[in-house]
Amino acid sequence: MKNQIRQLIQHAIDTLKAQQVLPAELNPEIQVENTKDKSHGDFASNIALMLAKPAGKKPRDLAQMLVDALPANAAIAKVELAGPGFMNFFQDEQYLSRTLDAALNDVHLGINLADEPQRVVVDLSSPNLAKEMHVGHLRSTIIGDAVAHVLEFLGHTVIRQNHVGDWGTQFGMLLAYMEEQGNAGDAELADLEVFYRAAKGRFDESPAFADRARELVVALQAGDAQCLELWNRFNEISLSHCQEVYERLNVSLSRDDVRGESAYNAELAGIVTALQAKGLLTESDGAQCVFLDEFKNAEGNPLPVIVQKAGGGYLYATTDLAAMQYRSQQLEADRVLYFVDQRQALHFQQVFKVAKLAGFVSENMSLEHMGFGTMNGADGKPFKTRSGGTVKLIDLLVEAEERAYALVKGKNAELDDAELRQIARAVGIGAVKYADLSKHRTSDYSFNFEQMLSFEGNTAPYLMYAYTRVASIFRKLQRDPAKLDGQINLQAAQEQELGAKLAQFADVLRNVGEKGVPHLLCAYLYDLAGLFSSFYEHCPIASAETPELQASRLRLAALTGRTLQQGLALLGIETLERM
C-alpha cells in the first residue's frame, strides 16, 4: 500500500511540475509512514512540508494542491489534511478485504513480482578454510541468506557466492604440517582448529619449519602437483565442516556456491596490468598502489589501495577486484551485495571506486557493502570461550539445541524423544538465528541464550508458537485452511488492524530487499503475531454469531498463519504444527 501511495503522490508532483507550481528539477524521496492514531488515517506523508520552500508556498496550501492532483484510486477511501500540511490517507475497507481474499487464494500471497527483475549476486559467509567456522561467521551467513530468500521471493535471480579463504600464506604452514605428520589422516584433521594451532605452533617455534612452509606456498602457487593434492584434500575436509554447519543452520548454501580466492589467482596479474594501462597505479616503497583523493588519513594524505606488494605478492584488494570483474562480466550481475563485517567498510568503499574507475564492472552495476556489527558476550565484548578462544559455530548450535530440548521437554514431557529432538532442533536453531536477525544489521548485540529461548517477547519461540496457535484453530474445528469458503469482512477494530497489517507484507519485503535489513521483517512478524493475539481474544471464531462471520474470521486466521509461515521461512526459520 505504501508503494501505491508513493506512486499516487509522484503523479501529483509530476502534475504540479507540468503546471510549473513545482520546479522541474525536484526529485524528492517520498516518505509514507503508518499512522499510530487510526482516526487520522492509515498512512501519512509529510511531502508538502519538504517541498514547500522550493515551491515558495505555505505547506498546507501545497498539500491541498497535491491532494487535488492525486488520481483516483480504489484502494484509498479519502485523503485529509492535518496540522501544518500532513496528508493523511484512509484505506478503503472493502478494497482491503478483497485484497486479503485475493492474497489468501494466491500461492504467492498476492505479492507481485518485481517489474524489473534483477540478477543479484549475494556474497555471504566466506569462512577461512584454514580453520573451522566460528561465531564470527554467523551474521554474514544468516543475514545474507535471509536477504537472498527475500529477493528470490520478489522475483529476482539470486546468485549466491561463498568467497572462501582458500589461498595464501597460512596454507603453506598447513601443508608443511601435513607433510611433517606423514600426510595426516582424516582423524587428525577432524578438528581443524586443533590442527591449525599445532601447525601455527610449529611455524612459530621452528625456523626450518617456517622456511619449508614458505617454500610450499611458492610451490602451491606455481601449481606443484603434490602441493595441490594436499591442498585439495585439506579444502575438501574443511568444506565438509562448513556444509555441516550450513545444513544445521538451515541456510541455502551448497558446494556449488563456493568460489574461493583461489579461483581468481590466474587473473591477478591481469588486474594489475589493467590498472597500469588505465594510469591508475603509483609505485610506493616498491608496492603498486592506487591513490584516491576522496580517501585520506588523519593527516590529509591519500590512503593507498595496495594491489601488489613489493615482493610481487597480491592482496585481498586484488582478489576482490578480480571477483568484481567476474561478477560483472561472467555473472552479468545488476547488483552485488557484500555481507561482510562493518569494520571492512573503508576497504569496500575503496575497491568499489577502483573497480568503477578501471572499468572492471559495468557503469550501472550496483556494488553495495551490507556491513554488520559484532556479536558480543554478556560482557559486551566479542563472544569468546571462557579461556578466551574463539567459539566454534557448530558448538554454539549444538548447545542451542540442547538448551531447547530441556525447555521443550519440560513443557511436553508426554512427547516421545524423537519428536522432542525435532522440535528442539527447530526451536534452538530458530532462536539463535532470530535473535541475530531481529537486530539492526549495523548494530552490535549481546548473545543471551535465556532471552532468545524465551516464549515471551520478540523471539523465535514466540513467533513459532503464534503459528502453532493458528494451526490449532483449524485442528480443533477440523477445517482445512486451504479449503475455506466465504469472504473476509473486516468489522471489528481488531479485524481491521490485523487486516491492515497483513496488507503491509509486500512493502516490508521490498524494504528488506532494497536495504538488506531483515530486522524489518522480524519486527513486522512480531507485530502481526501480537495483532493476531488481540484478534483471537476479542473476535471469537468457534462461537462466531453467524456462519458468514466465522468464515470471514477463519480466512483471516488462515492468511495470518500463511504469512507468519512464509515470513519465518524467508528468515530461514522452520515452523511447527505443534510445540
Side-chain angles (χ1 to χ4, degrees), residues 56-118:
K57 297 193 176 295
K58 294 180 180 179
R60 194 173 176 92
D61 292 343
L62 180 58
Q64 186 61 61
M65 297 176 76
L66 287 166
V67 169
D68 293 341
L70 289 170
N73 187 282
I76 305 299
K78 62 180 178 178
V79 184
E80 293 182 349
L81 300 187
F86 290 98
M87 299 165 63
N88 290 345
F89 294 78
F90 291 77
Q91 288 185 114
D92 184 280
E93 296 297 340
Q94 290 185 344
Y95 180 89
L96 176 58
S97 296
R98 291 195 298 271
T99 300
L100 298 177
D101 273 322
L104 182 61
N105 294 330
D106 179 29
V107 67
H108 212 62
L109 291 172
I111 296 175
N112 296 326
L113 299 181
D115 294 332
E116 298 179 3
Q118 295 180 311

Side-chain angles (χ1 to χ4, degrees), residues 435-510:
D436 190 307
L437 295 169
S438 61
K439 309 301 187 296
H440 194 292
R441 171 168 50 77
T442 60
S443 300
D444 298 343
Y445 79 98
S446 294
F447 188 90
N448 185 307
F449 269 125
E450 284 72 24
Q451 288 179 5
M452 65 180 60
L453 285 168
S454 173
F455 277 81
E456 298 178 0
N458 189 13
T459 67
Y462 171 76
L463 289 177
M464 294 169 78
Y465 183 67
Y467 173 78
T468 64
R469 286 185 69 189
V470 177
S472 71
I473 293 170
F474 291 92
R475 279 201 307 275
K476 290 175 182 176
L477 294 177
Q478 298 183 333
R479 298 292 299 272
D480 184 347
K483 299 176 181 178
L484 296 175
D485 299 323
Q487 295 178 325
I488 292 176
N489 185 8
L490 304 173
Q491 296 180 357
Q494 292 81 8
E495 293 172 320
Q496 292 171 3
E497 290 179 2
L498 179 59
K501 180 60 70 172
L502 286 165
Q504 295 169 19
F505 192 39
D507 283 331
V508 171
L509 294 186
R510 289 191 188 96

Side-chain angles (χ1 to χ4, degrees), residues 21 44 107 120 161 228 260 351 409 433 515 531:
V21 174
V107 67
V120 186
Q161 293 280 274
L228 284 172
V351 292
K409 188 174 183 178
K433 294 177 75 172
K515 301 172 185 175
L531 289 172

